[in-house]
Amino acid sequence: MNRAAGGLIGTSPVRLDGWEKISGEARYVDDLSIPGMWVGGTVRSPVASGKIVALRRDPSFDFSRVVVVTARELPGPNVVAMIREDHPVLAADRVRFVAEPIALVAAPDKPTLAAALTAIEVDIQPDEPVLTIEDALAGKGPVWGDDNILAEYGIASGDLEAGFAEADLIVEGTYRTGHQEHLYLETNGMIAVPRGDGGVEVIGSLQCPYYVLNALTRALSLPPEKVIVRQVATGGAFGGKEDFPSVLAAHAATLALRARHPVKIVYERTEDIRATTKRHPSRVSVRTGVKRDGTLVAADIDVVLDGGAYTTLSPVVLSRAILHAGGPYRIPNVAIRGRAVATHTAPNGAFRGFGAPQTLFAIERHMDRIASRVGVDPVTVRRRNLLTTGDQLPCGQILHEPVAAGLVLDRALALSDYKGKRGKRSPSANARTLSGIGLSVYYHGGGFTGGGEERIRGKASVRFSREGRIEILVSNVEMGQGATTVLCMIAAQALGLPLEMVTHPYPDTSQVPDTGPTVASRTTMIVGKIVVDACDALAAKLRAHLAREHGAEERAIRFADGSWWAADRQLGSFRECGLRYLDAAGPLVGDATYRHPEGLRWDEENFRGDAYKSYSWGADVVEVEVDRDTLEIRPLRATVVVEIGRAINPVLAVGQVEGGTLQALGWGYLEEIKMDAGRYLNDRVTTYIIPTTLDAPAMQVELAEFPYERGPFGAKGLGELPMDGGAPALAAAIEDATQIFAAGIPITPERLLRLRIEEGGS
Amino acid sequence: MKVSFEVNGEGHVLDVPPLRRLLDILREDLGLTGTKEGCGEGECGACAVLMDDALVDACLVPAVQLAGRRIVTIEGLGSRERPDPVQQAFLEEGAAQCGFCIPGMVMASRALLNRCPQPSREEIRTGLAGNLCRCTGYERIIRAVQRAASLPAESGQPASVETVPASRTVTASVDGIPAYAPDDLREALEILQTQGERITIIAGATDLLTDVKLGNRRPAAVMDITRLACLRGIALTEQGLEIGATTEFAQVARDARVRRHAPALADAAATVGAAAIQNRATLGGNLMTASPAADAPPVLMALGATVTLTSAKGTREVPVDSFFVGYRRCACRPEELLSRVSIPLPPAGDRQCFYKVGTRLAQSISKVCVACRAQVDAGGVLSGVRVAAGSVAPTPVALPEVARYLEGRRVQGSDAPEVMAAAGNIAAREIAPIDDVRSSAAYRSAVTRSLVVRFLQEIARS
Ligand SMILES: Cc1cc2nc3c(=O)[nH]c(=O)nc-3n(C[C@@H](O)[C@@H](O)[C@H](O)COP(=O)(O)OP(=O)(O)OC[C@H]3O[C@@H](n4cnc5c(N)ncnc54)[C@H](O)[C@@H]3O)c2cc1C
Ligand code: FES
């Protein structure tokens, strides 16, 4: 196979799902209608914590027109299977967060559903909710288990005590980040269709078809062959459709089986914000021992994540959080402790970055703090400590692959003219605004943490169809990030075919193997590689067949210039040969399974070893303007340099970086969830504030490439990386402008005012 | 009720409840699912379509206002063979990711280019500010619009069929509520006189449909007043500016006479929501909702405006200063319409300002807004001072004490800083802000103080 043939990698063909999205033809779940379809809705808890006393039905409503399901009428165990089995399909005796589902209703139409939902009244005896990390750590409640600890891990290396003894000074700080709502433009939605055999098919907006499948087989007590999960066009996810769709699918399927009708549930925005997962709020305390010149000699870091009421994915979010807590720095003596605690809020879950943005925010702010304590500038303090190739991470991993931390920092500084702009707060005394510039450096481990890939052992297939196309059969989804285009480019390149010949159908679990979920920046790097192997397997089958067909040796069969050849004899185009194979030998499918890269080791018990297969690197420089009087913040420009191995499709890659960067900035200064007794107050798009075009800075993105041998055509992970650096760089820029050090986000004008008053300013 | 209107060049006659949203009509009744719902309250723009060539959010257009309208949705724009230049450019620039915002984004871009064929980057950002995208960071979308502007303009839009009759409906449908859409003022006033208590007036519907969605209102009968030509438009008379109640903010913002004589009002109008909201939201509706956070009232107070309330029995004029009688309550009676706003002509050299501090830079509700006006003589002495603020009390409020204090004082010279600081402090004392989901009392008070000072500094400087 001639890999160079297509020359596709590194070019930017128009995305394959482009037209259907730009024309409005793409069908998202709420655009689908199935004959006889009913609508479903949810009766939810009005309080954060309490005992369910009764569920009353208003006798004036005719309940025979609808189907109602409570915890007592579930078809299987009351469990949405995720990492643990603590998450009920419906609350049975107690509620643990505002908007927790208590009963489900399906009705033939929306007005009937609305009437039925108001005719059900829940009587709950409320008690005092536990809503802060501090109360949870104090064991109040308890919300979960007997101590509220959902997970606890630690990593350490070196000798902490000796490290601190060596230090010239100790710098300490505590950093906090808040809830972040995904605000994917399309809310969560699912359709469940009952099948003749007692099984069910669900169709929805989701990232992980097999997570949903597993949850359904458990909750419905159905064998896997009676459950089909299909993804359709998904209007943004960012992690918000990783764990939650399992809950929604269990609801829709339960109703569909009961009602014997297809049932659609699409959340209204407010319901979506109240009931679904958010980014974990965090509190990270950092204590560092530092030499007079800013060199780190010791760090003791304590990470606490607020997991909400149930486990969901908190343990894995926590492990990624602590594995990134040291930042891209060499710390010879280090201990990192992480705990995820339970509170009476909606369970928090996956969100782009998965714990890393929280701890990277803390360490980056802390580096700025060290810089000002030792009296050097933020660039110098970073350069003194940046990781380089061959260094060791706190988990013991030796970085054999090239470390690009220094490179991305240099490029970002140069592109942005950081040095020329830093510390020039104000152009004139009369200016209404102050300007500032700040930076951050960060890294992100690609693929699952630790042994995750080995456990999942993703499988992929590619199939040659009668239409003469190559279909990529994987369980990974297109959700906006460009997976369809990138996977098709990878397969086209692997087979030496034009891109038009390759398709990536919406995954359907009855058709595709389990390649694992669409998460952890793994789709290009890990799944892409399995797809390459599957393409090789398919080509090998075809080659063997052609050899047999022509009585030639396999070695003599080759594919070049769009045709198969036996020595100098042209055997036909790929399509012609493929069709001959189908006629003669049946389905032409290449299968492959994840192969563990040699030499990488992970010890789960002790959290030591090669935590990630590869790391991607980034540096951000953010420039802001802050209004002197109102403290309004306006990010003007963001310069982002990332090293991602190889960009399969640079335009898509840059799009990921730009979008992730804006999400990170929004988290840094606009996006906030305020609570009243556990109820989210910012539960509408008019109160949960994400950036508009006018809030977005101009962006300049540069891609740096150190091809990664074990990734497909050199690619590493990218999707989450751009979420990591925006917030701390913004905070540093705000500090440059206002001289106010903010240790928590979002840095709203209200927070800045409070800090200014606390610091004794005017 | 029966309404006939046109969608993508095709006429439709439907029998629908009067408050059914255009969005549901498109998606559910006509099967045009390209238009998306992202929030249902005009914030996200995913449902943006063109109505009589203006960008509107389909979630905020009730059926009762559709008669005779021409709607263009994403399905009516271009085809794969002949894409609209906007679509072509979005494709080439890689502007779509998950795609959910894209139909609305494309429609907003089309509307912008129709109005402004060669927009600057800033004009593009402003034109698309009412369309949220969570995936792209907007950079590629902005570039796509720039590229579309450079592509040969091909009219991908269907030619309009001029046959749709504007029906005046005074009937109720089986499952709907009574709906009126009079085009004669006397008829409208008659209806209000006889059944004012139960009638809900609809102008731009941007507040009304949001309230209905939130369950805060369940109208028993509705009357669309946007067909009353006499309530719309801007006139300049010897007394001043007369602005009809149903004049949309888009028009207020662009009108040269308003820009000249009431620049603070034009500035305020340009900050209301974003394009699609400004095309629908009316000045009268903004006053009638009587929200403490509304942007027009403080400006109108500062400019000394009055409103005219009209009923079958006659008219009365009420100064905007005394129009608001409580939280979301105003002086208009059930049998009355707010028919127009009158702004006296300012003296030459009038200095005005409108400062809005919102939750973000567009599509943003005020955390605080301050409007001021004054005249300054050559020696820096102030006269005709008026100050008002929004979002700092249960209603929009005039701040007469600051005004009184400043009257006759100098904002230049050595004691100017003291005068300014004192004025700021008085303003901060005059308001009664609270902590809420959008901001804090402390912030509101500090910012009100600074903005009053800022106005004084700015007029002192020039
Ligand atoms: C996304 C979004 C963003 C917004 N941003 C802003 C903003 O930045 N600043 C701001 O100030 N506002 C903002 N608003 C609110 C603003 O759109 C409204 O206040 C608008 O001006 C109301 O006018 P309307 O014509 O839409 O009123 P409608 O919704 O039609 O009516 C509002 C109320 O007034 C009554 N009414 C209307 N006209 C008359 C009349 N002539 N006589 C008697 N009664 C009448 C109606 O019965 C109803 O009770 C926003 C709204 C949305 C949805
Ligand atoms: S492309 Fe996903 S919201 Fe804009």
Side-chain angles (χ1 to χ4, degrees), chain B residues 42 201 203-208 217 273 281-282 285-286 288 295 338 356 364:
Chain B
I201 289 172
T206 59
D207 277 333
L208 179 68
R217 285 232 248 177
T282 66
N286 197 251
M288 285 301 303
D295 288 323
L338 193 166
K356 170 170 176 171
S364 154

Side-chain angles (χ1 to χ4, degrees), chain A residues 185 235-236, chain B residues 95-102 132-136 141:
Chain A
L185 257 266
Chain B
Q97 290 189 21
C98 82
F100 206 76
C101 72
I102 294 297
L132 298 177
C133 173
R134 191 56 153 168
C135 295
T136 63
I141 290 175

Side-chain angles (χ1 to χ4, degrees), chain A residues 21 27-28 30-31 110 181-182 269 432 627 629-630 659 671 684 686 690-691 693 695-696 750, chain B residues 27-28 33 36 38 41 43 96-98 125 129 134-135 138-140 360-361 438-439 443 454 458:
Chain A
K21 289 176 170 171
R27 291 279 174 272
Y28 299 79
D30 198 27
D31 302 336
K110 287 184 189 171
E181 159 59 32
H182 305 83
R269 179 61 66 183
R432 272 163 70 152
D627 189 295
D629 299 320
T630 64
E671 302 181 28
R684 297 163 58 195
T686 175
I690 66 166
T693 41
D695 302 287
E750 287 80 1
Chain B
R27 291 180 51 83
E28 295 176 11
T33 55
K36 305 298 182 204
E41 45 186 343
E43 284 283 337
Q97 290 189 21
C98 82
R125 292 172 81 206
R134 191 56 153 168
C135 295
Y138 303 110
E139 193 63 48
R140 297 207 151 247
R360 60 186 155 205
L361 294 173
R438 294 198 169 92
S439 191
Y443 180 77
R454 170 172 289 178
E458 284 185 359

